[in-house]
Amino acid sequence: MRKLYELVGTDPERPFSPYVWRTRLALAHKGLDAERVPWRFVEKEVIAAHGSEKVPVLVDGDKTIHDSFAIALYLEETYPDRPSLFGGPGGREYIRFFNSWGDVALNGGIFPLIITDILQLLDAENAAYFRSSREARFKMSIEDFASNREAKVDGFRRSLDPFRLTLRSQPFLGGAAPNYADYIAFGPFQWARAVSPFRLLNEDDLVYAWRERMLDAFGGMARASKGFSL
Ligand SMILES: N[C@@H](CCC(=O)N[C@@H](CS)C(=O)NCC(=O)O)C(=O)O
């Protein structure tokens, strides 16, 4: 019995956490099923029972793991006979750096571009929690944080140059096939796709083509989830 708690708003069919998407793809990579349990920001007591304040939370038999990177490590260690998430020895340590880059450059770069759209997906209680917790974190209003996104998106696109240069030589960060580096990078894009019609990438961008390949991975699992067409 495996269960994955995933963040949703009013629509349980529109999961939007970048971290949970990393875990969804890691489970698919390992060929493992999990029952998806919709969870909303204010339902703190549900995951507190599993020792966490955030999702993803994975319950696998009698084990509970939280934090997307810890879950990836757990899956690699517990299911070594399934395809490797980290591309073998050494990959795990290397991808730890990539996880930090994904959090800082991708999640951080995308957040101001889509944050106002997230509010539209939440009911009044969750929207009030989201606003107050994020405004406390950013020390400014959500509207100020989100201001001028048409100009900010240029800087975000430029920040993807190392990614773009890599994709000149290989279709995935993992090489010929995706691995956990791709799931780290894709989670933030799938988050944006789920919540916002704002265009992050131009169609002639190698990163756009990579995102298309990721949307098609595992039988189009991510593409089948509710999102805006980009
Ligand atoms: N480092 C964690 C971050 C998890 C995280 O921030 N999850 C968000 C959803 S995207 C959350 O559950 N937030 C709860 C809250 O803001 O109260 C991971 O990689 O799993």
Side-chain angles (χ1 to χ4, degrees):
M1 179 60 175
R2 209 174 285 116
K3 278 202 286 194
L4 176 66
Y5 289 86
E6 63 177 13
L7 177 66
V8 297
T10 48
D11 183 352
E13 294 305 319
R14 193 184 280 269
F16 63 87
S17 161
Y19 305 102
V20 175
W21 272 105
R22 289 175 182 168
T23 299
R24 289 267 307 267
L25 289 152
L27 285 164
H29 184 104
K30 288 280 182 194
L32 299 169
D33 288 331
E35 178 199 343
R36 290 159 44 206
V37 185
W39 176 85
R40 294 167 186 85
F41 285 115
V42 299
E43 295 166 358
K44 290 288 178 202
E45 73 291 348
V46 176
I47 53 172
H50 294 293
S52 186
E53 294 181 344
K54 294 179 178 181
V55 292
V57 174
L58 179 71
V59 181
D60 190 12
D62 59 1
K63 295 236 169 49
T64 300
I65 316 98
H66 49 87
D67 185 274
S68 56
F69 198 70
I71 292 172
L73 295 176
Y74 165 82
L75 293 175
E76 189 76 340
E77 201 174 295
T78 311
Y79 301 99
D81 298 335
R82 308 270 182 141
S84 171
L85 284 168
F86 303 121
R92 178 170 56 176
E93 290 72 17
Y94 183 64
I95 288 182
R96 197 182 291 281
F97 163 80
F98 201 75
N99 199 56
S100 307
W101 181 78
D103 287 356
V104 175
L106 296 183
N107 284 337
I110 290 173
F111 210 2
L113 308 176
I114 63 166
I115 190 167
T116 50
D117 300 311
I118 295 178
L119 286 168
Q120 316 306 317
L121 302 181
L122 307 175
D123 65 17
E125 189 186 4
N126 280 281
Y129 168 81
F130 183 75
R131 177 178 283 283
S132 65
S133 58
R134 272 46 182 183
E135 291 188 343
R137 188 193 295 173
F138 304 137
K139 299 187 176 51
M140 67 179 85
S141 72
I142 282 187
E143 287 70 21
D144 283 348
F145 182 69
S147 66
N148 212 5
R149 67 178 173 178
E150 296 296 342
K152 279 183 186 144
V153 74
D154 286 338
F156 170 70
R157 288 178 185 153
R158 272 196 307 278
S159 79
L160 301 176
D161 273 350
F163 192 176
R164 213 165 269 129
L165 287 171
T166 307
L167 292 171
R168 281 194 195 166
S169 316
Q170 56 198 66
F172 295 101
L173 294 166
N179 73 6
Y180 197 66
D182 292 277
Y183 311 146
I184 288 170
F186 181 71
F189 285 103
Q190 179 72 346
W191 169 46
R193 176 182 173 274
V195 304
S196 176
F198 186 69
R199 178 167 274 270
L200 293 180
L201 300 170
N202 291 320
E203 273 181 47
D204 60 357
D205 189 337
L206 287 177
V207 182
Y208 182 102
W210 163 86
R211 187 181 60 184
E212 288 293 299
R213 290 192 285 278
M214 291 302 298
L215 286 164
D216 290 336
F218 308 116
M221 183 179 97
R223 199 186 288 283
S225 190
K226 277 192 190 167
F228 292 89
S229 56
L230 303 160

